[in-house]
Amino acid sequence: MAGVEMFINIRRIHKYQCAQLLTTGLLLSVVMVCWEPLDHHVVSHLVSYSYRYLVNSYDFLGSGGRRPGPTGGEAAGYPYLINHPWKCVSEDGKGWEDVLLLLFVKSSPENFERRQAIRDTWGDEGFVSAQLGVNVRLAFAVGVHPDARRRSRVQRALLREDQVHKDLIQQNFVDTFHNLTTKLLLQFHWSQMYCPRARFLMSADDDVFVHTPNLVQYLLRLSSTQAGARNLWVGHVHKGAPPVRRRTNKYHVPYDLYPWPSYPDYTAGAGYVVSADVAAKIYRATLLLDPSMYIDDVFMGMCAQAMGVSPREHAYFSGQGKAPYHPCIYDHMITSHGHADDVRSLWRKVTDRSAHGSPRGLLGNLYCLAVRAMLLCLPNHQKTYSCRAAFT
Ligand SMILES: *[C@@H]1O[C@H](CO)[C@@H](O)[C@H](O)[C@H]1NC(C)=O
């Protein structure tokens, strides 16, 4: 009897072990099949994140990391084709206007309609001064059209557009993806030269929606404290992001351009704000650093890092992706990315609300909290803002 029982036990154990072996094998092969994408995404992020502290404390300026190329000071020297040197000068021409915010929008020559939508909505200087009682200045940074055959026709249209609106700032460089850092240099050099007293500078894409009333309120609140208006660089922060090494990717960066496994922390280029002192520091860094890093927001991160400035996360600055359309979101949002056709309708909704903007009361606030938690924390929604944003 005992012998038979043992025999059965052994067979059971065998069966059990077999199953275990099989599952392990299966798991291993799944891991092996998925290894490459896993490797790219998880591992490279893990590696880069562990390098983050090193890179963030690395001295780009002092390290002789400069290559023999031109510095940003030289590269920013493209002549202006369209300029408005008096944009920030007071009406009597004797001094600087008290400008709270200079809104620099990165545009491309052919994006006439996007620029018009921005002028009519969130970039409307008149609306801001009438409704919010502060001065903002709107300017579009553009280069020249990359297609030589269409260039002169587009250029004539740009000049006509600028005669009406007087808000284009154009330098003589080809407006391409790989010249985005040149456009960044334009913004910081122009601001330093022609609008140095603006208390804040925002850089934004032309497919971004900015909730100007919320942004102005946020900046005014910061300005009212001693430290708040200084040392500010706020946006959607990328922490310890790894450079993309796959050649097929748009953001591919070869090792000789950037050898380290992680970028310094930087804010998404879709929209971020810096205070005047930070803008001046970035300007100084661009004079010394090699601007061949063509991803403009990463280059901005390198400049800031060299000057000891680190970015501050704000839950309602978006990276990729649109904010969910809901009044409970509009109350808080600052930027939202990926808008072209819906800027006007969104602006109507947003300003409607602020016109009748009465406090919601306890129940209303609870309702909004629940709605935001649903919109931002459920996994099926695109990640514009983090789940944390629902509770701030
Ligand atoms: C940037 O613009 C300059 C000046 O027009 C041009 O010579 C250069 O080729 C452009 N760079 C890229 C990568 O497009």
Side-chain angles (χ1 to χ4, degrees):
M1 276 303 261
V4 174
E5 232 169 61
M6 224 164 83
F7 177 69
I8 294 170
N9 270 349
I10 285 171
R11 272 186 50 176
R12 257 201 214 131
I13 288 169
H14 271 166
K15 251 191 194 163
Y16 180 68
Q17 280 180 331
C18 259
Q20 226 180 10
L21 256 173
L22 270 176
T23 0
T24 316
L26 204 74
L27 267 176
L28 268 177
S29 38
V30 168
V31 166
M32 270 162 73
V33 166
C34 301
W35 182 247
E36 215 170 319
L38 256 182
D39 184 35
H40 275 135
H41 290 113
V42 179
V43 178
S44 70
H45 270 90
L46 279 179
V47 168
S48 73
Y49 206 81
S50 45
Y51 269 91
R52 182 180 157 230
Y53 292 97
L54 261 180
V55 168
N56 280 331
S57 54
Y58 183 77
D59 183 2
F60 281 99
L61 276 180
S63 71
R66 264 209 61 195
R67 306 182 317 157
T71 62
E74 294 149 39
Y78 292 111
Y80 286 102
L81 298 178
I82 304 178
N83 194 6
H84 297 282
W86 292 279
K87 190 164 269 294
C88 295
V89 172
S90 63
E91 261 171 47
D92 60 12
K94 290 194 180 126
W96 299 106
E97 190 75 75
D98 178 25
V99 174
L100 177 74
L101 175 66
L102 172 62
L103 284 169
F104 238 129
V105 179
K106 297 171 268 185
S107 192
S108 300
E110 68 279 16
N111 290 353
F112 299 99
E113 270 158 33
R114 287 188 186 180
R115 287 194 289 276
Q116 196 51 45
I118 292 172
R119 286 182 194 112
D120 293 343
T121 58
W122 60 264
D124 184 349
E125 295 175 1
F127 172 90
V128 175
S129 73
Q131 300 291 319
L132 309 168
V134 297
N135 286 320
V136 299
R137 289 290 181 266
L138 173 69
F140 296 96
V142 290
V144 299
H145 198 281
D147 182 350
R149 282 162 305 169
R150 292 181 53 200
R151 191 170 297 157
S152 60
R153 195 159 47 83
V154 171
Q155 191 62 26
R156 280 197 299 278
L158 279 173
L159 286 168
R160 275 197 303 276
E161 176 187 357
D162 187 66
Q163 267 175 6
V164 179
H165 302 289
K166 304 187 177 2
D167 55 9
L168 302 184
I169 308 294
Q170 185 190 38
Q171 270 182 341
N172 193 9
F173 62 84
V174 182
D175 200 312
T176 56
F177 174 71
H178 285 89
N179 255 338
L180 272 176
T181 291
T182 311
K183 202 175 277 181
L184 179 96
L185 297 176
L186 183 164
Q187 296 168 73
F188 279 91
H189 284 237
W190 190 91
S191 324
Q192 200 57 32
M193 184 80 101
Y194 300 112
C195 201
R197 296 292 172 81
R199 278 183 271 166
F200 298 96
L201 163 67
M202 176 173 214
S203 176
D205 286 344
D206 65 0
D207 60 344
V208 157
F209 183 88
V210 180
H211 194 307
T212 331
N214 285 354
L215 176 60
V216 164
Q217 260 172 24
Y218 170 67
L219 296 179
L220 284 177
R221 222 177 313 127
L222 283 178
S223 293
S224 66
T225 64
Q226 268 292 316
R230 293 189 63 77
N231 203 27
L232 178 79
W233 175 25
V234 65
H236 176 86
V237 179
H238 290 290
K239 292 194 180 84
V244 176
R245 302 298 190 190
R246 258 168 309 166
R247 282 172 197 287
T248 47
N249 193 290
K250 183 181 173 191
Y251 294 99
H252 159 76
V253 166
Y255 284 93
D256 64 342
L257 192 56
Y258 190 89
W260 297 284
S262 120
Y263 290 137
D265 294 355
Y266 64 94
T267 56
Y272 57 84
V273 176
V274 295
S275 52
D277 59 317
V278 170
K281 283 181 182 172
I282 299 298
Y283 166 77
R284 287 207 300 280
T286 66
L287 296 178
L288 299 166
L289 284 179
D290 170 3
S292 47
M293 164 56 71
Y294 59 82
I295 304 176
D296 58 334
D297 37 11
V298 171
F299 182 69
M300 167 82 181
M302 291 164 71
C303 291
Q305 192 275 125
M307 304 306 283
V309 175
S310 33
R312 184 191 304 181
E313 171 77 18
H314 187 302
Y316 281 99
F317 277 74
S318 84
Q320 298 296 324
K322 279 183 185 182
Y325 289 92
H326 199 284
C328 295
I329 298 284
Y330 305 157
D331 286 358
H332 294 262
M333 69 182 280
I334 306 269
T335 72
S336 168
H337 197 190
H339 297 266
D341 308 323
D342 52 353
V343 169
R344 290 168 199 275
S345 61
L346 187 52
W347 180 248
R348 234 172 285 132
K349 287 182 203 157
V350 158
T351 46
D352 234 34
R353 265 219 46 75
S354 65
H356 327 126
S358 47
R360 290 182 189 279
L362 181 62
L363 270 184
N365 282 333
L366 278 177
Y367 162 76
C368 268
L369 188 68
V371 168
R372 283 199 301 273
M374 276 199 13
L375 289 174
L376 302 180
C377 300
L378 292 184
N380 56 341
H381 264 279
Q382 52 169 330
K383 291 270 170 252
T384 317
Y385 308 124
S386 68
C387 171
R388 207 162 32 83
F391 305 98
T392 54

